[in-house]
Amino acid sequence: MDENETNIAFHRFLSTINVACLKSVRLGNALDGGWDMCLSGPYRPRGPCLVYSFGINFDFSFDDAISTTFGCTVRAFDPSMDVDDHRRSPNVWFYRFGIGGSDVVRSNGWTVKTLSSLLNMFNESNTLIDHLKIDVEDDEWGWMEEVLGTTVLSRVKQLAIEIHAVDQTRAALLRRFRLLRRLEDAGFRRWYFSMNMYNIYATALGVRSCCYEMVYINVNFLDPGNAACGRIYYSESST
């Protein structure tokens, strides 16, 4: 494929789903800041439940909602807010760390760690994560490349991630395409996507957005009897 064909294929990939969830809920703000969550079958949080949420930008609406609705422990992270670590509420803790592909202190003073390092820090390396949210302004790619070389994602039931896709070369798009394919190889399937409505623009190749909000479920948590033909459908009886 040439660069234009690669661009079209990449954006088409981001704007499709490959699994259906029949029961879901929007948690947090109705627009930017809120996230959709699958509640069918094993994906509905049941206490004790654990959420890791990266990228807050002073909007805790999702974190507060998932905590109060399901009683989950929420660990919220954002090094950009210039706010010290603190306990926001009985079940929500905030930490001034970022997520990335290595443990490093960046030139801007931000401390960034891998997901494995943070799990070790909280003695949660063997704990299931009911919901992992990654909204880190293009740092998702470094994080993804590192985490796919570990077994950490095998303990994540649901992944919500904002994917950035602006002005990429063919080589960069192919690299990112391969990372998303590896995510699927690890058992993750997209049941929800949404373009960022604040950054939509027209190009000669079609309508584009800077970012896509994607929500995945880890199908490894399903009863094998629920999977057929590479596509999974949920019924209310399974909730």
Side-chain angles (χ1 to χ4, degrees), residues 3-217:
E3 187 159 329
N4 285 346
E5 291 170 332
T6 303
N7 183 289
I8 291 169
F10 184 70
H11 283 270
R12 183 183 297 123
F13 180 86
L14 294 179
S15 57
T16 58
I17 60 172
N18 52 14
V19 69
C21 174
L22 297 186
K23 190 170 185 179
S24 64
V25 66
R26 180 78 173 180
L27 295 171
N29 291 332
L31 297 176
D32 200 35
W35 288 84
D36 285 60
M37 184 176 191
C38 182
L39 299 182
S40 290
Y43 305 106
R44 181 184 182 90
R46 293 174 173 85
C49 47
L50 179 63
V51 176
Y52 272 53
S53 177
F54 294 92
I56 307 302
N57 194 27
F58 297 98
D59 183 349
F60 287 91
S61 62
F62 169 79
D63 312 274
D64 292 341
I66 199 169
S67 170
T68 57
T69 304
F70 300 105
C72 296
T73 294
V74 179
R75 302 200 185 281
F77 303 84
D78 196 323
S80 72
M81 288 169 50
D82 197 23
V83 174
D84 291 335
D85 297 359
H86 65 276
R87 188 174 188 174
R88 173 176 171 81
S89 65
N91 290 329
V92 179
W93 281 262
F94 173 82
Y95 307 95
R96 198 174 171 179
F97 294 118
I99 190 78
S102 61
D103 293 350
V104 65
V105 178
R106 294 182 174 172
S107 59
N108 59 5
W110 295 359
T111 299
V112 174
K113 293 183 177 295
T114 65
L115 183 55
S116 295
S117 294
L118 290 168
L119 290 167
N120 287 333
M121 180 183 301
F122 298 111
N123 296 315
E124 292 169 337
S125 295
N126 297 314
T127 305
L128 291 179
I129 299 177
D130 290 84
H131 202 88
L132 172 62
K133 188 206 82 179
I134 306 286
D135 185 359
V136 291
E137 307 308 318
D138 215 39
D139 278 341
E140 68 270 13
W141 300 110
W143 164 78
M144 196 181 301
E145 188 159 21
E146 188 277 334
V147 80
L148 286 169
T150 74
T151 60
V152 171
L153 290 180
S154 67
R155 297 185 294 279
V156 174
K157 288 186 174 183
Q158 195 159 178
L159 168 66
I161 183 168
E162 184 173 68
I163 296 294
H164 292 77
V166 179
D167 299 329
Q168 296 297 316
T169 64
R170 179 178 181 275
L173 288 175
L174 287 174
R175 172 180 167 270
R176 295 181 174 193
F177 215 149
R178 293 186 188 107
L179 286 173
L180 293 171
R181 287 296 191 190
R182 287 177 62 194
L183 189 62
E184 292 195 354
D185 290 343
F188 287 84
R189 299 291 184 272
R190 301 181 307 281
W191 72 269
Y192 175 87
F193 84 91
S194 176
M195 286 185 175
N196 185 312
M197 302 304 293
Y198 297 101
N199 288 282
I200 288 181
Y201 55 96
T203 74
L205 302 177
V207 176
R208 296 286 183 263
S209 175
C210 73
C211 331
Y212 293 76
E213 292 181 357
M214 322 280 287
V215 188
Y216 290 80
I217 54 171

